[in-house]
mmCIF file of all heavy atoms in Angstrom:
data_model
loop_
_atom_site.group_PDB
_atom_site.id
_atom_site.type_symbol
_atom_site.label_atom_id
_atom_site.label_comp_id
_atom_site.label_asym_id
_atom_site.label_seq_id
_atom_site.Cartn_x
_atom_site.Cartn_y
_atom_site.Cartn_z
ATOM 1 N N MET A 192 109.560 161.160 57.957
ATOM 2 C CA MET A 192 109.016 159.826 57.965
ATOM 3 C C MET A 192 108.046 159.700 56.791
ATOM 4 O O MET A 192 107.208 160.558 56.586
ATOM 5 C CB MET A 192 108.296 159.605 59.298
ATOM 6 C CG MET A 192 107.725 158.240 59.488
ATOM 7 S SD MET A 192 108.807 156.994 60.141
ATOM 8 C CE MET A 192 109.192 157.549 61.750
ATOM 9 N N ARG A 193 108.196 158.656 56.006
ATOM 10 C CA ARG A 193 107.295 158.357 54.887
ATOM 11 C C ARG A 193 106.871 156.906 54.969
ATOM 12 O O ARG A 193 107.545 156.070 55.560
ATOM 13 C CB ARG A 193 107.982 158.575 53.536
ATOM 14 C CG ARG A 193 108.245 159.989 53.188
ATOM 15 C CD ARG A 193 106.974 160.675 52.744
ATOM 16 N NE ARG A 193 107.304 162.055 52.423
ATOM 17 C CZ ARG A 193 106.609 162.813 51.660
ATOM 18 N NH1 ARG A 193 105.518 162.389 51.104
ATOM 19 N NH2 ARG A 193 106.984 164.045 51.433
ATOM 20 N N THR A 194 105.756 156.620 54.339
ATOM 21 C CA THR A 194 105.240 155.250 54.302
ATOM 22 C C THR A 194 105.367 154.735 52.877
ATOM 23 O O THR A 194 105.086 155.456 51.923
ATOM 24 C CB THR A 194 103.761 155.232 54.745
ATOM 25 O OG1 THR A 194 103.675 155.814 56.047
ATOM 26 C CG2 THR A 194 103.236 153.819 54.811
ATOM 27 N N ILE A 195 105.787 153.477 52.742
ATOM 28 C CA ILE A 195 105.957 152.848 51.439
ATOM 29 C C ILE A 195 105.251 151.494 51.452
ATOM 30 O O ILE A 195 105.218 150.812 52.478
ATOM 31 C CB ILE A 195 107.451 152.694 51.073
ATOM 32 C CG1 ILE A 195 107.616 152.202 49.633
ATOM 33 C CG2 ILE A 195 108.165 151.795 52.066
ATOM 34 C CD1 ILE A 195 109.058 152.272 49.132
ATOM 35 N N GLU A 268 105.218 150.144 55.287
ATOM 36 C CA GLU A 268 106.378 150.253 56.169
ATOM 37 C C GLU A 268 106.794 151.715 56.218
ATOM 38 O O GLU A 268 106.769 152.402 55.205
ATOM 39 C CB GLU A 268 107.521 149.388 55.639
ATOM 40 C CG GLU A 268 108.698 149.307 56.561
ATOM 41 C CD GLU A 268 109.714 148.275 56.100
ATOM 42 O OE1 GLU A 268 109.334 147.133 55.829
ATOM 43 O OE2 GLU A 268 110.894 148.642 56.016
ATOM 44 N N GLN A 269 107.166 152.184 57.387
ATOM 45 C CA GLN A 269 107.598 153.564 57.531
ATOM 46 C C GLN A 269 109.112 153.657 57.411
ATOM 47 O O GLN A 269 109.844 152.814 57.912
ATOM 48 C CB GLN A 269 107.160 154.133 58.876
ATOM 49 C CG GLN A 269 105.666 154.350 58.948
ATOM 50 C CD GLN A 269 105.260 155.079 60.212
ATOM 51 O OE1 GLN A 269 105.898 154.987 61.231
ATOM 52 N NE2 GLN A 269 104.167 155.811 60.121
ATOM 53 N N LEU A 270 109.563 154.706 56.709
ATOM 54 C CA LEU A 270 110.986 154.962 56.511
ATOM 55 C C LEU A 270 111.330 156.344 57.052
ATOM 56 O O LEU A 270 110.574 157.291 56.859
ATOM 57 C CB LEU A 270 111.340 154.960 55.021
ATOM 58 C CG LEU A 270 111.074 153.706 54.224
ATOM 59 C CD1 LEU A 270 111.352 153.975 52.753
ATOM 60 C CD2 LEU A 270 111.944 152.574 54.719
ATOM 61 N N ASN A 271 112.457 156.456 57.706
ATOM 62 C CA ASN A 271 112.988 157.758 58.094
ATOM 63 C C ASN A 271 113.772 158.297 56.902
ATOM 64 O O ASN A 271 114.560 157.567 56.296
ATOM 65 C CB ASN A 271 113.900 157.635 59.312
ATOM 66 C CG ASN A 271 113.127 157.282 60.551
ATOM 67 O OD1 ASN A 271 112.049 157.813 60.783
ATOM 68 N ND2 ASN A 271 113.656 156.390 61.349
ATOM 69 N N LEU A 272 113.558 159.550 56.561
ATOM 70 C CA LEU A 272 114.205 160.152 55.397
ATOM 71 C C LEU A 272 115.278 161.147 55.813
ATOM 72 O O LEU A 272 115.149 161.823 56.827
ATOM 73 C CB LEU A 272 113.172 160.876 54.531
ATOM 74 C CG LEU A 272 112.032 160.046 53.975
ATOM 75 C CD1 LEU A 272 111.059 160.937 53.225
ATOM 76 C CD2 LEU A 272 112.553 158.946 53.078
ATOM 77 N N ARG A 277 114.047 164.061 51.539
ATOM 78 C CA ARG A 277 112.809 164.815 51.762
ATOM 79 C C ARG A 277 112.645 165.887 50.679
ATOM 80 O O ARG A 277 111.564 166.038 50.104
ATOM 81 C CB ARG A 277 112.854 165.445 53.156
ATOM 82 C CG ARG A 277 111.509 165.807 53.692
ATOM 83 C CD ARG A 277 111.545 166.209 55.167
ATOM 84 N NE ARG A 277 111.886 165.067 56.014
ATOM 85 C CZ ARG A 277 113.012 164.942 56.720
ATOM 86 N NH1 ARG A 277 113.907 165.895 56.724
ATOM 87 N NH2 ARG A 277 113.229 163.876 57.448
ATOM 88 N N LEU A 280 111.651 164.256 47.414
ATOM 89 C CA LEU A 280 110.244 163.832 47.426
ATOM 90 C C LEU A 280 109.275 165.005 47.317
ATOM 91 O O LEU A 280 108.151 164.829 46.872
ATOM 92 C CB LEU A 280 109.934 163.044 48.702
ATOM 93 C CG LEU A 280 110.317 161.589 48.679
ATOM 94 C CD1 LEU A 280 110.061 160.953 50.032
ATOM 95 C CD2 LEU A 280 109.568 160.827 47.599
ATOM 96 N N GLU A 281 109.713 166.167 47.714
ATOM 97 C CA GLU A 281 108.849 167.346 47.643
ATOM 98 C C GLU A 281 108.773 167.906 46.230
ATOM 99 O O GLU A 281 108.148 168.929 45.985
ATOM 100 C CB GLU A 281 109.329 168.405 48.631
ATOM 101 C CG GLU A 281 109.063 168.001 50.072
ATOM 102 C CD GLU A 281 109.704 168.923 51.095
ATOM 103 O OE1 GLU A 281 110.423 169.882 50.695
ATOM 104 O OE2 GLU A 281 109.495 168.680 52.291
#
Side-chain angles (χ1 to χ4, degrees):
M192 183 86 64
R193 289 284 180 158
T194 303
I195 187 170
E268 187 171 309
Q269 289 187 331
L270 300 174
N271 291 318
L272 301 176
R277 201 170 293 113
L280 278 176
E281 289 171 357

